[in-house]
Amino acid sequence: MTALPDCFCPADGTRVPGGSLDWCCPVCRGPLDLDFAPTPASLKSLTGRVNSLWRYAECLPLSAPTVSLGEGRTPLVTLREGVSAKLDFLMPTLSFKDRGAVLLAELALRLRPRRVLADSSGNAGTAIAAYCARAALPCTVYVPGGTSPKKLEQIEAHGAQVRLVDGDREAAALAAREAADEPGTFYASHVHNPYFLHGTKTYVHELWEDLGGRLPDVLVVPVGNGTLLLGAALAVAELHGAGLIDRRPALYAVQAAAVAPLAHAWDEGADDLVGTTPTAPTSAEGIAVPRPPRARQILRAVRDSGGAFLTVTEDQIRHAQRDLASQGLYVESTGVACWAAVRDGVLGTRTAVVPLCGAGAKTGLARERASSGSDGSGPGPLTTAQP
């Protein structure tokens, strides 16, 4: 087995040896990054490779997959002139989380833990349960009590144990982290474990390949815990560092206005979360994260890219979901947030790609909610958080 790279804490520099079951920094308990700086292959050399995310082997910290379900290589379709959508809901478990989950399952196979734990609002838990089933690893998923019944059914169908936690998404995460400290436990955290980010970054490597060795002006990404955005930032840095792109796209992060702690921090010009941001119910449950552990990294990545934060109301989410359905794309409410943010032309003439991250069959149509700025007859105004 090839030696695993070490992890390190981006906050204080503490190092964790590769192959350890430690899931966080032993000093500050924060998330870890991976000491891994790959060089991507040229566009020409990708011809004829396996038609999954594993075609970007040079950029992945694990090789020779054994649990792959063919994840990745999702279609890119035009929504309107200048704006395309990547259909990441066409994954084995119907969400983009498969990109990171397959890396976590591969890592767990190498570490041989007694059990695997995860926490999730649904999609990450489903993906980890599926890949653990593929790897014949026992899995338990902690979820908040309000998780969609359809997502719970999918998790259980893969043989994982579901632990319902009273409270919100953060309560489920806290319960899982407490259990993760037990000996012999692999915490398959899509937030704390950096292998997950190195899986999600393949989203951008695929865009680069599909667009003939270039990237759009703007990458629009939904942000709760920020795993897709941080993965995108990794891929952009790799491609730019290798001289395979001559400019970096701006990263635009989208949050539901009901739960927007990062957009609030951005509006305040802060480098980290600011106090306690008021929250409200949202149909975009997948990004309803009041205190993302990687907040500082997310804010820095957006700022360094020349991007910004956008927020969308519940009415905008609902109307965007129906708009996409009218175009033949049935996407869950969290997954339509980016289209809700840009479909009215906020990006001007710049080219952009939005991810459609989860299938509508997972949650159904977003319920109508009252929201400021809309009388229910149409989308409310787009809110752009100012840096």
Side-chain angles (χ1 to χ4, degrees):
M1 181 180 70
T2 304
L4 298 171
D6 288 348
C7 294
F8 67 93
C9 175
D12 59 32
T14 301
R15 298 187 71 82
V16 174
S20 170
L21 286 174
D22 290 347
W23 59 269
C24 65
C25 173
V27 177
C28 71
R29 304 284 288 180
L32 298 170
D33 283 347
L34 202 61
D35 189 2
F36 178 64
T39 299
S42 67
L43 195 64
K44 184 178 180 180
S45 68
L46 296 175
T47 303
R49 292 193 182 189
V50 62
N51 194 37
S52 74
L53 63 81
W54 295 94
R55 69 197 280 110
Y56 310 107
E58 292 87 349
C59 293
L60 296 175
L62 298 171
S63 59
T66 59
V67 301
S68 176
L69 292 167
E71 57 286 332
R73 300 296 293 148
T74 53
L76 187 66
V77 301
T78 300
L79 295 180
R80 69 151 193 263
E81 186 176 358
V83 181
S84 296
K86 189 156 176 60
L87 310 191
D88 255 27
F89 66 91
L90 298 179
M91 287 278 196
T93 76
L94 309 182
S95 92
F96 88 95
K97 296 291 177 62
D98 290 3
R99 293 185 183 276
V102 68
L103 268 291
L104 293 185
E106 287 288 346
L107 177 61
L109 271 178
R110 287 157 172 77
L111 299 181
R112 301 291 181 183
R114 182 170 56 85
R115 62 172 182 168
V116 176
L117 294 184
D119 61 272
S120 171
S121 60
N123 284 341
T126 297
I128 290 165
Y131 284 94
C132 280
R134 182 79 166 174
L137 293 167
C139 179
T140 301
V141 182
Y142 289 73
V143 298
T147 300
S148 163
K150 295 181 180 180
K151 292 180 179 179
L152 296 179
E153 180 182 350
Q154 193 179 8
I155 293 171
E156 290 177 327
H158 293 304
Q161 291 187 346
V162 172
R163 297 284 176 88
L164 284 171
V165 178
D166 289 336
D168 59 11
R169 177 69 182 83
E170 192 165 12
L174 290 173
R177 290 169 198 164
E178 183 176 349
D181 287 328
E182 296 180 15
T185 299
F186 177 78
Y187 181 28
S189 171
H190 60 291
V191 181
H192 284 76
N193 195 308
Y195 280 81
F196 196 91
L197 305 182
H198 284 270
T200 62
K201 75 182 181 184
T202 59
Y203 170 87
V204 170
H205 283 286
E206 289 177 18
L207 284 180
W208 169 77
E209 183 181 0
D210 290 341
L211 294 173
R214 60 183 179 84
L215 290 173
D217 299 326
V218 178
L219 294 172
V220 189
V221 186
V223 172
N225 278 308
T227 56
L228 183 55
L229 184 138
L230 291 174
L234 279 173
V236 168
E238 290 170 4
L239 292 167
H240 190 264
L244 296 173
I245 54 174
D246 57 9
R247 58 168 183 78
R248 301 176 186 234
L251 298 175
Y252 273 62
V254 178
Q255 296 207 285
V259 185
L262 291 161
H264 174 66
W266 179 266
D267 193 50
E268 295 293 319
D271 294 330
D272 206 342
L273 299 178
V274 179
T276 301
T277 306
T279 62
T282 176
S283 58
E285 61 184 12
I287 52 174
V289 181
R291 299 196 65 81
R294 293 187 184 268
R296 181 177 290 272
Q297 289 178 279
I298 296 165
L299 289 161
R300 184 172 65 246
V302 173
R303 185 170 289 113
D304 289 349
S305 76
F309 276 80
L310 306 173
T311 61
V312 289
T313 66
E314 296 304 295
D315 278 346
Q316 285 177 283
I317 292 170
R318 179 168 55 87
H319 286 279
Q321 188 181 35
R322 293 184 181 276
D323 179 32
L324 286 174
S326 74
Q327 299 185 54
L329 300 168
Y330 187 33
V331 184
E332 68 173 346
S333 47
T334 298
V336 306
C338 291
W339 178 234
V342 304
R343 74 187 187 106
D344 291 330
V346 68
L347 297 178
T349 60
R350 287 178 292 177
T351 59
V353 172
V354 300
L356 303 185
C357 294
K362 285 175 170 281
T363 56
L365 289 170
R367 297 188 302 273
E368 185 168 356
R369 299 174 185 270
S371 65
S372 60
S374 173
D375 60 5
S377 61
L382 178 71
T383 302
T384 305
Q386 299 298 319

